[in-house]
Amino acid sequence: MFRTDLLQHKRILITGGGTGLGKGMAERFLELGAVVYICGRREEVLQKTASELLGKGPIHALSCDVRDLDAVERMIDSVWVGGPLDVLVNNAAGNFIARTEDLSPRAFESVIGIVLMGTLHCTLACGRRWLKSAHRGTVLNISATYAPVGSAYVVPSAISKAGVEALTRSLAVEWGDRGIRMNAIAPGPIPTQGAFSRLLPRPELETLALDRTPLHRFGTIEELANLAAFLVSDGSGYINGEVIRMDGGEFLQGAGEFSSLGRILKEEDWESLKPRKRSAP
Ligand code: HXC
Ligand code: NAP
C-alpha cells in the first residue's frame, strides 16, 4: 500500500518493539526503508526479534526499562551516537484486568510507571535533543480507545493512557512550531500474546469483545503497522495532535444508545415493528 522508500533513512525507536504490535511496526518500518531501534526489558526477547527481522533491514536491540529515567537517557545517548532519531514510537505498556479495590500501590505504580512515565521519559529525552539541535522529529504514542472515557477493571492503564493523550495534544502545540509532530493511535483489540493473555484471558471474554465490534473481527497487526507507517511518514506532515481511533467502530457501537438493538431484534421483530397499513375506509 506504500512506496517501498516511504521511510527511507528514517531512524526510528520503538519502545516495546520486541513483541506484539511493536514488533509488527518494526517489521513494516524496515520494509519501508527505515533504520529501526527496539527496546524492552527482556534482552533475549529483543535479540530473537532482531535476528528474525535482520533480513528486512538494519535493526538494533537495546535493553532498557522505560520507567528508569537514567536508563532511558543512556539508551537515547547510545542511539544518538549514530545520529539523531527522526521518530519515536511510545508503544511499551503494562496492563491487566483487576478490580480496582484489590490493587496495591505497587500495582498502580507499575503500570503508571511504564505507560505514563515511560512515555514521558522517552518523549522528553528525544524532544530536548531535537529542540537543542533544531532537528525535526515525530512522536507516535500508542494509546487505547478507553483513554478519553475511562474503563472499569483497567484503571491504572486508563489513567495512564489518558495522560498520554493529554501529553500528545499538549506538546503538539508547544513543540509544533519547532518541527516536532505528536500523534497517537488508539487501537481496539488486536490479538497479541501480551494483551490477550492479560486482558481477555478466557474464551468467553474474547467472544464478548468480538460482539462489541460492528465488523465482528479483531484488528490485525498489519493494519496497525500500516496506519503507524503513514503517521510517522512525511506524507502525513500536517497531522499534528490527533488521536486516531482504529477499532472497527467498536467505540461508536458502545456509545450509540440503540446500537445493540441489532443483536437482539430479529427479522420478524423488525417486521412486526413496521406501521400497519391502514385498511381502506
Ligand atoms: C492485581 C497485579 C496483577 C493482577 C500484577 N499485579 N498483576 N495485581 N492483579 N493481575 C501487581 C503485583 O502483585 C505487584 O504488586 C505489582 O502489580 C507489580 O507486579 P510485578 O509482576 O512485580 O511487576 P512487573 O514485573 O514490573 O510487571 C509489570 C506488569 C506485567 C504490568 C504487572 O503484566 C507486565 O510486565 N506487563 C507487560 C506487558 C503487558 O502488560 N502487555 C499488555 C499491554 S495491552 P505487589 O504489591 O504485590 O508487589 C494494553 C491495552 C490492551 O495495554 C487493550 C485491549 C483491548
Ligand atoms: P505486548 O506484546 O505485551 O507489548 C508490550 C511491550 O512493552 C513488550 O514488548 C514489553 O517488553 C514492553 N515493556 C513493558 N514494560 C516495559 C518497560 N518497563 N520498559 C520497556 N519496555 C517495556 O502488547 P501489545 O498488544 O503489543 O501492546 C502494544 C501497545 O499497544 C501497548 O501500548 C498497548 O497498550 C497498546 N494496545 C494494544 C491493544 C491490543 O489489543 N493488542 C489494544 C489497545 C492498545 P518487556 O516485557 O520485555 O519489557
mmCIF file with all atom_site columns, all heavy atoms in Angstrom, residues 217-242:
data_model
loop_
_atom_site.group_PDB
_atom_site.id
_atom_site.type_symbol
_atom_site.label_atom_id
_atom_site.label_alt_id
_atom_site.label_comp_id
_atom_site.label_asym_id
_atom_site.label_entity_id
_atom_site.label_seq_id
_atom_site.pdbx_PDB_ins_code
_atom_site.Cartn_x
_atom_site.Cartn_y
_atom_site.Cartn_z
_atom_site.occupancy
_atom_site.B_iso_or_equiv
_atom_site.pdbx_formal_charge
_atom_site.auth_seq_id
_atom_site.auth_comp_id
_atom_site.auth_asym_id
_atom_site.auth_atom_id
_atom_site.pdbx_PDB_model_num
ATOM 1   N N   . ARG A 1 217 ? -14.823 -8.713  14.003 1.00 0.00 ? 217 ARG A N   1
ATOM 2   C CA  . ARG A 1 217 ? -13.490 -9.336  13.966 1.00 0.00 ? 217 ARG A CA  1
ATOM 3   C C   . ARG A 1 217 ? -12.543 -8.425  14.721 1.00 0.00 ? 217 ARG A C   1
ATOM 4   O O   . ARG A 1 217 ? -12.852 -7.249  14.967 1.00 0.00 ? 217 ARG A O   1
ATOM 5   C CB  . ARG A 1 217 ? -13.013 -9.541  12.528 1.00 0.00 ? 217 ARG A CB  1
ATOM 6   C CG  . ARG A 1 217 ? -12.680 -8.255  11.782 1.00 0.00 ? 217 ARG A CG  1
ATOM 7   C CD  . ARG A 1 217 ? -11.931 -8.563  10.494 1.00 0.00 ? 217 ARG A CD  1
ATOM 8   N NE  . ARG A 1 217 ? -11.682 -7.393  9.681  1.00 0.00 ? 217 ARG A NE  1
ATOM 9   C CZ  . ARG A 1 217 ? -10.635 -6.577  9.792  1.00 0.00 ? 217 ARG A CZ  1
ATOM 10  N NH1 . ARG A 1 217 ? -9.736  -6.779  10.736 1.00 0.00 ? 217 ARG A NH1 1
ATOM 11  N NH2 . ARG A 1 217 ? -10.475 -5.547  8.987  1.00 0.00 ? 217 ARG A NH2 1
ATOM 12  N N   . PHE A 1 218 ? -11.395 -8.963  15.090 1.00 0.00 ? 218 PHE A N   1
ATOM 13  C CA  . PHE A 1 218 ? -10.367 -8.149  15.721 1.00 0.00 ? 218 PHE A CA  1
ATOM 14  C C   . PHE A 1 218 ? -9.538  -7.457  14.650 1.00 0.00 ? 218 PHE A C   1
ATOM 15  O O   . PHE A 1 218 ? -9.530  -7.875  13.487 1.00 0.00 ? 218 PHE A O   1
ATOM 16  C CB  . PHE A 1 218 ? -9.472  -9.011  16.615 1.00 0.00 ? 218 PHE A CB  1
ATOM 17  C CG  . PHE A 1 218 ? -10.192 -9.597  17.803 1.00 0.00 ? 218 PHE A CG  1
ATOM 18  C CD1 . PHE A 1 218 ? -10.137 -10.955 18.072 1.00 0.00 ? 218 PHE A CD1 1
ATOM 19  C CD2 . PHE A 1 218 ? -10.932 -8.782  18.649 1.00 0.00 ? 218 PHE A CD2 1
ATOM 20  C CE1 . PHE A 1 218 ? -10.807 -11.494 19.167 1.00 0.00 ? 218 PHE A CE1 1
ATOM 21  C CE2 . PHE A 1 218 ? -11.610 -9.315  19.748 1.00 0.00 ? 218 PHE A CE2 1
ATOM 22  C CZ  . PHE A 1 218 ? -11.546 -10.665 19.999 1.00 0.00 ? 218 PHE A CZ  1
ATOM 23  N N   . GLY A 1 219 ? -8.833  -6.414  15.060 1.00 0.00 ? 219 GLY A N   1
ATOM 24  C CA  . GLY A 1 219 ? -7.905  -5.765  14.138 1.00 0.00 ? 219 GLY A CA  1
ATOM 25  C C   . GLY A 1 219 ? -6.687  -6.654  13.930 1.00 0.00 ? 219 GLY A C   1
ATOM 26  O O   . GLY A 1 219 ? -6.480  -7.640  14.650 1.00 0.00 ? 219 GLY A O   1
ATOM 27  N N   . THR A 1 220 ? -5.878  -6.303  12.942 1.00 0.00 ? 220 THR A N   1
ATOM 28  C CA  . THR A 1 220 ? -4.659  -7.089  12.706 1.00 0.00 ? 220 THR A CA  1
ATOM 29  C C   . THR A 1 220 ? -3.424  -6.208  12.948 1.00 0.00 ? 220 THR A C   1
ATOM 30  O O   . THR A 1 220 ? -3.484  -4.973  12.846 1.00 0.00 ? 220 THR A O   1
ATOM 31  C CB  . THR A 1 220 ? -4.583  -7.640  11.258 1.00 0.00 ? 220 THR A CB  1
ATOM 32  O OG1 . THR A 1 220 ? -4.412  -6.527  10.361 1.00 0.00 ? 220 THR A OG1 1
ATOM 33  C CG2 . THR A 1 220 ? -5.834  -8.416  10.900 1.00 0.00 ? 220 THR A CG2 1
ATOM 34  N N   . ILE A 1 221 ? -2.336  -6.881  13.247 1.00 0.00 ? 221 ILE A N   1
ATOM 35  C CA  . ILE A 1 221 ? -1.073  -6.171  13.490 1.00 0.00 ? 221 ILE A CA  1
ATOM 36  C C   . ILE A 1 221 ? -0.666  -5.407  12.218 1.00 0.00 ? 221 ILE A C   1
ATOM 37  O O   . ILE A 1 221 ? -0.168  -4.285  12.293 1.00 0.00 ? 221 ILE A O   1
ATOM 38  C CB  . ILE A 1 221 ? 0.014   -7.185  13.921 1.00 0.00 ? 221 ILE A CB  1
ATOM 39  C CG1 . ILE A 1 221 ? -0.371  -7.806  15.266 1.00 0.00 ? 221 ILE A CG1 1
ATOM 40  C CG2 . ILE A 1 221 ? 1.385   -6.517  14.005 1.00 0.00 ? 221 ILE A CG2 1
ATOM 41  C CD1 . ILE A 1 221 ? 0.591   -8.858  15.801 1.00 0.00 ? 221 ILE A CD1 1
ATOM 42  N N   . GLU A 1 222 ? -0.948  -5.992  11.052 1.00 0.00 ? 222 GLU A N   1
ATOM 43  C CA  . GLU A 1 222 ? -0.581  -5.343  9.779  1.00 0.00 ? 222 GLU A CA  1
ATOM 44  C C   . GLU A 1 222 ? -1.367  -4.032  9.606  1.00 0.00 ? 222 GLU A C   1
ATOM 45  O O   . GLU A 1 222 ? -0.811  -3.031  9.152  1.00 0.00 ? 222 GLU A O   1
ATOM 46  C CB  . GLU A 1 222 ? -0.867  -6.273  8.593  1.00 0.00 ? 222 GLU A CB  1
ATOM 47  C CG  . GLU A 1 222 ? 0.018   -7.504  8.509  1.00 0.00 ? 222 GLU A CG  1
ATOM 48  C CD  . GLU A 1 222 ? -0.291  -8.569  9.570  1.00 0.00 ? 222 GLU A CD  1
ATOM 49  O OE1 . GLU A 1 222 ? -1.434  -8.585  10.087 1.00 0.00 ? 222 GLU A OE1 1
ATOM 50  O OE2 . GLU A 1 222 ? 0.604   -9.359  9.897  1.00 0.00 ? 222 GLU A OE2 1
ATOM 51  N N   . GLU A 1 223 ? -2.653  -4.053  9.967  1.00 0.00 ? 223 GLU A N   1
ATOM 52  C CA  . GLU A 1 223 ? -3.466  -2.824  9.839  1.00 0.00 ? 223 GLU A CA  1
ATOM 53  C C   . GLU A 1 223 ? -2.919  -1.724  10.738 1.00 0.00 ? 223 GLU A C   1
ATOM 54  O O   . GLU A 1 223 ? -2.830  -0.555  10.340 1.00 0.00 ? 223 GLU A O   1
ATOM 55  C CB  . GLU A 1 223 ? -4.936  -3.131  10.176 1.00 0.00 ? 223 GLU A CB  1
ATOM 56  C CG  . GLU A 1 223 ? -5.637  -3.922  9.081  1.00 0.00 ? 223 GLU A CG  1
ATOM 57  C CD  . GLU A 1 223 ? -6.963  -4.545  9.505  1.00 0.00 ? 223 GLU A CD  1
ATOM 58  O OE1 . GLU A 1 223 ? -7.185  -4.787  10.715 1.00 0.00 ? 223 GLU A OE1 1
ATOM 59  O OE2 . GLU A 1 223 ? -7.792  -4.806  8.621  1.00 0.00 ? 223 GLU A OE2 1
ATOM 60  N N   . LEU A 1 224 ? -2.533  -2.126  11.948 1.00 0.00 ? 224 LEU A N   1
ATOM 61  C CA  . LEU A 1 224 ? -1.968  -1.141  12.883 1.00 0.00 ? 224 LEU A CA  1
ATOM 62  C C   . LEU A 1 224 ? -0.647  -0.597  12.346 1.00 0.00 ? 224 LEU A C   1
ATOM 63  O O   . LEU A 1 224 ? -0.396  0.624   12.356 1.00 0.00 ? 224 LEU A O   1
ATOM 64  C CB  . LEU A 1 224 ? -1.789  -1.830  14.246 1.00 0.00 ? 224 LEU A CB  1
ATOM 65  C CG  . LEU A 1 224 ? -1.306  -1.075  15.480 1.00 0.00 ? 224 LEU A CG  1
ATOM 66  C CD1 . LEU A 1 224 ? 0.197   -0.881  15.504 1.00 0.00 ? 224 LEU A CD1 1
ATOM 67  C CD2 . LEU A 1 224 ? -2.018  0.243   15.699 1.00 0.00 ? 224 LEU A CD2 1
ATOM 68  N N   . ALA A 1 225 ? 0.187   -1.498  11.830 1.00 0.00 ? 225 ALA A N   1
ATOM 69  C CA  . ALA A 1 225 ? 1.511   -1.101  11.344 1.00 0.00 ? 225 ALA A CA  1
ATOM 70  C C   . ALA A 1 225 ? 1.397   -0.170  10.137 1.00 0.00 ? 225 ALA A C   1
ATOM 71  O O   . ALA A 1 225 ? 2.191   0.771   9.983  1.00 0.00 ? 225 ALA A O   1
ATOM 72  C CB  . ALA A 1 225 ? 2.336   -2.340  11.003 1.00 0.00 ? 225 ALA A CB  1
ATOM 73  N N   . ASN A 1 226 ? 0.414   -0.398  9.282  1.00 0.00 ? 226 ASN A N   1
ATOM 74  C CA  . ASN A 1 226 ? 0.221   0.480   8.124  1.00 0.00 ? 226 ASN A CA  1
ATOM 75  C C   . ASN A 1 226 ? -0.190  1.882   8.554  1.00 0.00 ? 226 ASN A C   1
ATOM 76  O O   . ASN A 1 226 ? 0.311   2.882   8.027  1.00 0.00 ? 226 ASN A O   1
ATOM 77  C CB  . ASN A 1 226 ? -0.838  -0.105  7.178  1.00 0.00 ? 226 ASN A CB  1
ATOM 78  C CG  . ASN A 1 226 ? -0.254  -1.185  6.278  1.00 0.00 ? 226 ASN A CG  1
ATOM 79  O OD1 . ASN A 1 226 ? 0.922   -1.177  5.974  1.00 0.00 ? 226 ASN A OD1 1
ATOM 80  N ND2 . ASN A 1 226 ? -1.087  -2.119  5.874  1.00 0.00 ? 226 ASN A ND2 1
ATOM 81  N N   . LEU A 1 227 ? -1.108  1.976   9.515  1.00 0.00 ? 227 LEU A N   1
ATOM 82  C CA  . LEU A 1 227 ? -1.521  3.299   9.997  1.00 0.00 ? 227 LEU A CA  1
ATOM 83  C C   . LEU A 1 227 ? -0.332  4.016   10.653 1.00 0.00 ? 227 LEU A C   1
ATOM 84  O O   . LEU A 1 227 ? -0.106  5.210   10.437 1.00 0.00 ? 227 LEU A O   1
ATOM 85  C CB  . LEU A 1 227 ? -2.682  3.161   10.992 1.00 0.00 ? 227 LEU A CB  1
ATOM 86  C CG  . LEU A 1 227 ? -3.174  4.461   11.635 1.00 0.00 ? 227 LEU A CG  1
ATOM 87  C CD1 . LEU A 1 227 ? -3.602  5.481   10.585 1.00 0.00 ? 227 LEU A CD1 1
ATOM 88  C CD2 . LEU A 1 227 ? -4.322  4.182   12.606 1.00 0.00 ? 227 LEU A CD2 1
ATOM 89  N N   . ALA A 1 228 ? 0.442   3.254   11.419 1.00 0.00 ? 228 ALA A N   1
ATOM 90  C CA  . ALA A 1 228 ? 1.615   3.843   12.080 1.00 0.00 ? 228 ALA A CA  1
ATOM 91  C C   . ALA A 1 228 ? 2.614   4.350   11.039 1.00 0.00 ? 228 ALA A C   1
ATOM 92  O O   . ALA A 1 228 ? 3.155   5.461   11.173 1.00 0.00 ? 228 ALA A O   1
ATOM 93  C CB  . ALA A 1 228 ? 2.266   2.806   12.993 1.00 0.00 ? 228 ALA A CB  1
ATOM 94  N N   . ALA A 1 229 ? 2.830   3.559   9.988  1.00 0.00 ? 229 ALA A N   1
ATOM 95  C CA  . ALA A 1 229 ? 3.787   3.968   8.947  1.00 0.00 ? 229 ALA A CA  1
ATOM 96  C C   . ALA A 1 229 ? 3.336   5.284   8.312  1.00 0.00 ? 229 ALA A C   1
ATOM 97  O O   . ALA A 1 229 ? 4.149   6.194   8.082  1.00 0.00 ? 229 ALA A O   1
ATOM 98  C CB  . ALA A 1 229 ? 3.907   2.877   7.884  1.00 0.00 ? 229 ALA A CB  1
ATOM 99  N N   . PHE A 1 230 ? 2.053   5.396   8.032  1.00 0.00 ? 230 PHE A N   1
ATOM 100 C CA  . PHE A 1 230 ? 1.525   6.633   7.457  1.00 0.00 ? 230 PHE A CA  1
ATOM 101 C C   . PHE A 1 230 ? 1.747   7.811   8.419  1.00 0.00 ? 230 PHE A C   1
ATOM 102 O O   . PHE A 1 230 ? 2.234   8.869   8.010  1.00 0.00 ? 230 PHE A O   1
ATOM 103 C CB  . PHE A 1 230 ? 0.029   6.468   7.151  1.00 0.00 ? 230 PHE A CB  1
ATOM 104 C CG  . PHE A 1 230 ? -0.674  7.746   6.798  1.00 0.00 ? 230 PHE A CG  1
ATOM 105 C CD1 . PHE A 1 230 ? -0.346  8.429   5.630  1.00 0.00 ? 230 PHE A CD1 1
ATOM 106 C CD2 . PHE A 1 230 ? -1.648  8.278   7.635  1.00 0.00 ? 230 PHE A CD2 1
ATOM 107 C CE1 . PHE A 1 230 ? -0.986  9.632   5.305  1.00 0.00 ? 230 PHE A CE1 1
ATOM 108 C CE2 . PHE A 1 230 ? -2.287  9.471   7.318  1.00 0.00 ? 230 PHE A CE2 1
ATOM 109 C CZ  . PHE A 1 230 ? -1.952  10.149  6.147  1.00 0.00 ? 230 PHE A CZ  1
ATOM 110 N N   . LEU A 1 231 ? 1.441   7.599   9.682  1.00 0.00 ? 231 LEU A N   1
ATOM 111 C CA  . LEU A 1 231 ? 1.509   8.713   10.639 1.00 0.00 ? 231 LEU A CA  1
ATOM 112 C C   . LEU A 1 231 ? 2.931   9.184   10.933 1.00 0.00 ? 231 LEU A C   1
ATOM 113 O O   . LEU A 1 231 ? 3.130   10.345  11.301 1.00 0.00 ? 231 LEU A O   1
ATOM 114 C CB  . LEU A 1 231 ? 0.798   8.336   11.942 1.00 0.00 ? 231 LEU A CB  1
ATOM 115 C CG  . LEU A 1 231 ? -0.725  8.301   11.853 1.00 0.00 ? 231 LEU A CG  1
ATOM 116 C CD1 . LEU A 1 231 ? -1.330  7.757   13.150 1.00 0.00 ? 231 LEU A CD1 1
ATOM 117 C CD2 . LEU A 1 231 ? -1.301  9.680   11.539 1.00 0.00 ? 231 LEU A CD2 1
ATOM 118 N N   . VAL A 1 232 ? 3.919   8.287   10.802 1.00 0.00 ? 232 VAL A N   1
ATOM 119 C CA  . VAL A 1 232 ? 5.296   8.731   11.057 1.00 0.00 ? 232 VAL A CA  1
ATOM 120 C C   . VAL A 1 232 ? 5.977   9.203   9.769  1.00 0.00 ? 232 VAL A C   1
ATOM 121 O O   . VAL A 1 232 ? 7.097   9.712   9.813  1.00 0.00 ? 232 VAL A O   1
ATOM 122 C CB  . VAL A 1 232 ? 6.164   7.650   11.755 1.00 0.00 ? 232 VAL A CB  1
ATOM 123 C CG1 . VAL A 1 232 ? 5.518   7.197   13.056 1.00 0.00 ? 232 VAL A CG1 1
ATOM 124 C CG2 . VAL A 1 232 ? 6.447   6.464   10.843 1.00 0.00 ? 232 VAL A CG2 1
ATOM 125 N N   . SER A 1 233 ? 5.308   9.040   8.634  1.00 0.00 ? 233 SER A N   1
ATOM 126 C CA  . SER A 1 233 ? 5.928   9.431   7.358  1.00 0.00 ? 233 SER A CA  1
ATOM 127 C C   . SER A 1 233 ? 5.721   10.931  7.108  1.00 0.00 ? 233 SER A C   1
ATOM 128 O O   . SER A 1 233 ? 4.826   11.553  7.689  1.00 0.00 ? 233 SER A O   1
ATOM 129 C CB  . SER A 1 233 ? 5.316   8.638   6.203  1.00 0.00 ? 233 SER A CB  1
ATOM 130 O OG  . SER A 1 233 ? 4.009   9.124   5.914  1.00 0.00 ? 233 SER A OG  1
ATOM 131 N N   . ASP A 1 234 ? 6.519   11.475  6.198  1.00 0.00 ? 234 ASP A N   1
ATOM 132 C CA  . ASP A 1 234 ? 6.389   12.902  5.883  1.00 0.00 ? 234 ASP A CA  1
ATOM 133 C C   . ASP A 1 234 ? 5.066   13.196  5.171  1.00 0.00 ? 234 ASP A C   1
ATOM 134 O O   . ASP A 1 234 ? 4.591   14.317  5.167  1.00 0.00 ? 234 ASP A O   1
ATOM 135 C CB  . ASP A 1 234 ? 7.567   13.353  5.014  1.00 0.00 ? 234 ASP A CB  1
ATOM 136 C CG  . ASP A 1 234 ? 8.888   13.232  5.775  1.00 0.00 ? 234 ASP A CG  1
ATOM 137 O OD1 . ASP A 1 234 ? 8.846   13.262  7.024  1.00 0.00 ? 234 ASP A OD1 1
ATOM 138 O OD2 . ASP A 1 234 ? 9.939   13.080  5.122  1.00 0.00 ? 234 ASP A OD2 1
ATOM 139 N N   . GLY A 1 235 ? 4.488   12.158  4.563  1.00 0.00 ? 235 GLY A N   1
ATOM 140 C CA  . GLY A 1 235 ? 3.211   12.334  3.860  1.00 0.00 ? 235 GLY A CA  1
ATOM 141 C C   . GLY A 1 235 ? 2.071   12.768  4.760  1.00 0.00 ? 235 GLY A C   1
ATOM 142 O O   . GLY A 1 235 ? 1.069   13.291  4.286  1.00 0.00 ? 235 GLY A O   1
ATOM 143 N N   . SER A 1 236 ? 2.217   12.556  6.057  1.00 0.00 ? 236 SER A N   1
ATOM 144 C CA  . SER A 1 236 ? 1.151   12.967  6.983  1.00 0.00 ? 236 SER A CA  1
ATOM 145 C C   . SER A 1 236 ? 1.572   14.215  7.767  1.00 0.00 ? 236 SER A C   1
ATOM 146 O O   . SER A 1 236 ? 1.099   14.440  8.882  1.00 0.00 ? 236 SER A O   1
ATOM 147 C CB  . SER A 1 236 ? 0.815   11.835  7.953  1.00 0.00 ? 236 SER A CB  1
ATOM 148 O OG  . SER A 1 236 ? 1.893   11.612  8.845  1.00 0.00 ? 236 SER A OG  1
ATOM 149 N N   . GLY A 1 237 ? 2.461   15.005  7.155  1.00 0.00 ? 237 GLY A N   1
ATOM 150 C CA  . GLY A 1 237 ? 3.102   16.116  7.858  1.00 0.00 ? 237 GLY A CA  1
ATOM 151 C C   . GLY A 1 237 ? 2.185   17.171  8.466  1.00 0.00 ? 237 GLY A C   1
ATOM 152 O O   . GLY A 1 237 ? 2.604   17.922  9.343  1.00 0.00 ? 237 GLY A O   1
ATOM 153 N N   . TYR A 1 238 ? 0.929   17.240  8.003  1.00 0.00 ? 238 TYR A N   1
ATOM 154 C CA  . TYR A 1 238 ? 0.028   18.266  8.558  1.00 0.00 ? 238 TYR A CA  1
ATOM 155 C C   . TYR A 1 238 ? -0.888  17.695  9.642  1.00 0.00 ? 238 TYR A C   1
ATOM 156 O O   . TYR A 1 238 ? -1.752  18.375  10.162 1.00 0.00 ? 238 TYR A O   1
ATOM 157 C CB  . TYR A 1 238 ? -0.798  18.887  7.425  1.00 0.00 ? 238 TYR A CB  1
ATOM 158 C CG  . TYR A 1 238 ? -1.254  20.306  7.706  1.00 0.00 ? 238 TYR A CG  1
ATOM 159 C CD1 . TYR A 1 238 ? -0.346  21.283  8.102  1.00 0.00 ? 238 TYR A CD1 1
ATOM 160 C CD2 . TYR A 1 238 ? -2.602  20.662  7.588  1.00 0.00 ? 238 TYR A CD2 1
ATOM 161 C CE1 . TYR A 1 238 ? -0.772  22.584  8.365  1.00 0.00 ? 238 TYR A CE1 1
ATOM 162 C CE2 . TYR A 1 238 ? -3.030  21.966  7.847  1.00 0.00 ? 238 TYR A CE2 1
ATOM 163 C CZ  . TYR A 1 238 ? -2.103  22.917  8.236  1.00 0.00 ? 238 TYR A CZ  1
ATOM 164 O OH  . TYR A 1 238 ? -2.522  24.197  8.503  1.00 0.00 ? 238 TYR A OH  1
ATOM 165 N N   . ILE A 1 239 ? -0.704  16.412  9.964  1.00 0.00 ? 239 ILE A N   1
ATOM 166 C CA  . ILE A 1 239 ? -1.484  15.801  11.057 1.00 0.00 ? 239 ILE A CA  1
ATOM 167 C C   . ILE A 1 239 ? -0.677  15.969  12.336 1.00 0.00 ? 239 ILE A C   1
ATOM 168 O O   . ILE A 1 239 ? 0.433   15.443  12.465 1.00 0.00 ? 239 ILE A O   1
ATOM 169 C CB  . ILE A 1 239 ? -1.767  14.307  10.772 1.00 0.00 ? 239 ILE A CB  1
ATOM 170 C CG1 . ILE A 1 239 ? -2.550  14.158  9.464  1.00 0.00 ? 239 ILE A CG1 1
ATOM 171 C CG2 . ILE A 1 239 ? -2.548  13.690  11.932 1.00 0.00 ? 239 ILE A CG2 1
ATOM 172 C CD1 . ILE A 1 239 ? -2.861  12.717  9.092  1.00 0.00 ? 239 ILE A CD1 1
ATOM 173 N N   . ASN A 1 240 ? -1.203  16.711  13.262 1.00 0.00 ? 240 ASN A N   1
ATOM 174 C CA  . ASN A 1 240 ? -0.474  17.017  14.495 1.00 0.00 ? 240 ASN A CA  1
ATOM 175 C C   . ASN A 1 240 ? -1.463  17.135  15.653 1.00 0.00 ? 240 ASN A C   1
ATOM 176 O O   . ASN A 1 240 ? -2.432  17.880  15.570 1.00 0.00 ? 240 ASN A O   1
ATOM 177 C CB  . ASN A 1 240 ? 0.287   18.340  14.318 1.00 0.00 ? 240 ASN A CB  1
ATOM 178 C CG  . ASN A 1 240 ? 1.192   18.647  15.502 1.00 0.00 ? 240 ASN A CG  1
ATOM 179 O OD1 . ASN A 1 240 ? 1.699   17.727  16.154 1.00 0.00 ? 240 ASN A OD1 1
ATOM 180 N ND2 . ASN A 1 240 ? 1.401   19.926  15.782 1.00 0.00 ? 240 ASN A ND2 1
ATOM 181 N N   . GLY A 1 241 ? -1.212  16.387  16.718 1.00 0.00 ? 241 GLY A N   1
ATOM 182 C CA  . GLY A 1 241 ? -2.068  16.469  17.906 1.00 0.00 ? 241 GLY A CA  1
ATOM 183 C C   . GLY A 1 241 ? -3.311  15.607  17.816 1.00 0.00 ? 241 GLY A C   1
ATOM 184 O O   . GLY A 1 241 ? -4.239  15.757  18.609 1.00 0.00 ? 241 GLY A O   1
ATOM 185 N N   . GLU A 1 242 ? -3.313  14.665  16.873 1.00 0.00 ? 242 GLU A N   1
ATOM 186 C CA  . GLU A 1 242 ? -4.505  13.832  16.694 1.00 0.00 ? 242 GLU A CA  1
ATOM 187 C C   . GLU A 1 242 ? -4.352  12.467  17.382 1.00 0.00 ? 242 GLU A C   1
ATOM 188 O O   . GLU A 1 242 ? -3.261  11.910  17.443 1.00 0.00 ? 242 GLU A O   1
ATOM 189 C CB  . GLU A 1 242 ? -4.759  13.580  15.200 1.00 0.00 ? 242 GLU A CB  1
ATOM 190 C CG  . GLU A 1 242 ? -5.202  14.804  14.429 1.00 0.00 ? 242 GLU A CG  1
ATOM 191 C CD  . GLU A 1 242 ? -6.499  15.398  14.948 1.00 0.00 ? 242 GLU A CD  1
ATOM 192 O OE1 . GLU A 1 242 ? -7.385  14.633  15.381 1.00 0.00 ? 242 GLU A OE1 1
ATOM 193 O OE2 . GLU A 1 242 ? -6.621  16.639  14.936 1.00 0.00 ? 242 GLU A OE2 1
#
